[in-house]
Amino acid sequence: MKSREVFSRIARRYDRVNRILSLGRDDAWRRSAVAHLPPGRVLDLGAGTGAANAEFGERQVVALDPSAPMLALNPERRRVAGYGEALPFADGVFDAVFSAFVFRNLDSVPAALAEVHRVLRPGGAAAVVDLSRPLSVWQRALHRLGTAVVLPVVGALTGSPREYWYLHRSLDKLPPPQVLFGEGPLALERLWRMGLFGFVYGVVLRKAG
């Protein structure tokens, strides 16, 4: 199942379920990453319904998402349908790029990072928040067991069992963030962990300049 299909099907309940699953902490996780972004023009990559809009302050936001049903619920005026791996923007037009809970759903992280690097101005920054398995072996095993139980139950209760089983499997799709972002075109400036067992991470990436 393609990630675009998953999020199109659960668009109207996605943010509400996220709020419940994160025990109301998802906004704080986004805020911790946005705080590292410079002022100016920011691309919200995988903006969805606009859950991060309130955190951007006076920045000029362009919201991009491949899911039309998600994007239709986003109140941001500047909305663009598109993919992170092929951004429909000229070189160096953004001061910052933000992305929350998107990278593990991309078809190609290297391609998306190359595109983020391209559209950032020299010296610009990107901030990414996403989910990963905890670092320690026993916490990782316990977390995997937990999501294998909790997410299918959530899927069944919301009438979306296949979609939430996909979300469980996506947590094992990528390497840890220090590996994922450590060898890309952007310098890994900061990495921190949040949430139970540190299963949420934030990274700040910088374009040379």
Side-chain angles (χ1 to χ4, degrees):
M1 183 182 297
K2 292 286 187 179
S3 61
R4 180 180 62 174
E5 298 173 10
V6 170
F7 293 104
S8 293
R9 292 180 184 181
I10 61 177
R12 293 192 174 275
R13 50 194 179 274
Y14 179 70
D15 288 334
R16 183 170 64 252
V17 173
N18 274 0
R19 184 63 45 84
I20 295 170
L21 291 174
S22 70
L23 302 179
R25 295 294 297 163
D26 54 315
D27 282 343
W29 297 336
R30 293 186 187 92
R31 193 177 307 122
S32 71
V34 172
H36 294 280
L37 297 180
R41 194 176 191 217
V42 58
L43 171 64
D44 188 357
L45 194 163
T49 62
N53 288 358
E55 313 303 336
F56 292 125
E58 299 300 315
R59 296 176 180 87
Q60 180 185 354
V61 180
V62 177
L64 178 135
D65 202 279
S67 169
M70 295 281 279
L71 205 57
L73 298 173
N74 192 325
E76 176 55 52
R77 183 170 60 86
R78 304 174 188 88
R79 295 175 295 178
V80 179
Y83 293 87
E85 297 91 345
L87 296 175
F89 307 108
D91 297 355
V93 294
F94 291 101
D95 300 291
V97 174
F98 172 78
S99 186
F101 311 115
V102 169
F103 265 68
R104 73 188 188 282
N105 301 307
L106 294 170
D107 290 335
S108 173
V109 171
L113 288 175
E115 282 291 270
V116 170
H117 180 271
R118 181 182 64 80
V119 303
L120 275 175
R121 65 164 174 79
V128 176
V129 176
D130 212 330
L131 308 178
S132 179
R133 295 299 185 189
L135 294 176
S136 80
V137 173
W138 74 267
Q139 289 179 341
R140 190 160 55 248
L142 186 59
H143 189 259
R144 185 175 289 112
L145 176 63
T147 60
V149 173
V150 172
L151 289 179
V153 169
V154 169
L157 292 175
T158 59
S160 310
R162 290 178 62 207
E163 287 78 5
Y164 278 92
W165 182 248
Y166 163 84
L167 294 178
H168 159 70
R169 290 190 295 107
S170 73
L171 289 166
D172 293 305
K173 179 181 176 182
L174 297 174
Q178 62 270 24
V179 176
L180 184 64
F181 298 100
E183 299 179 355
L186 299 159
L188 178 55
E189 189 170 275
R190 185 174 181 186
L191 166 64
W192 67 101
R193 292 271 183 167
M194 304 169 282
L196 180 67
F197 299 152
F199 80 103
V200 183
Y201 69 81
V203 297
V204 177
L205 309 168
R206 184 76 59 178
K207 180 174 180 177

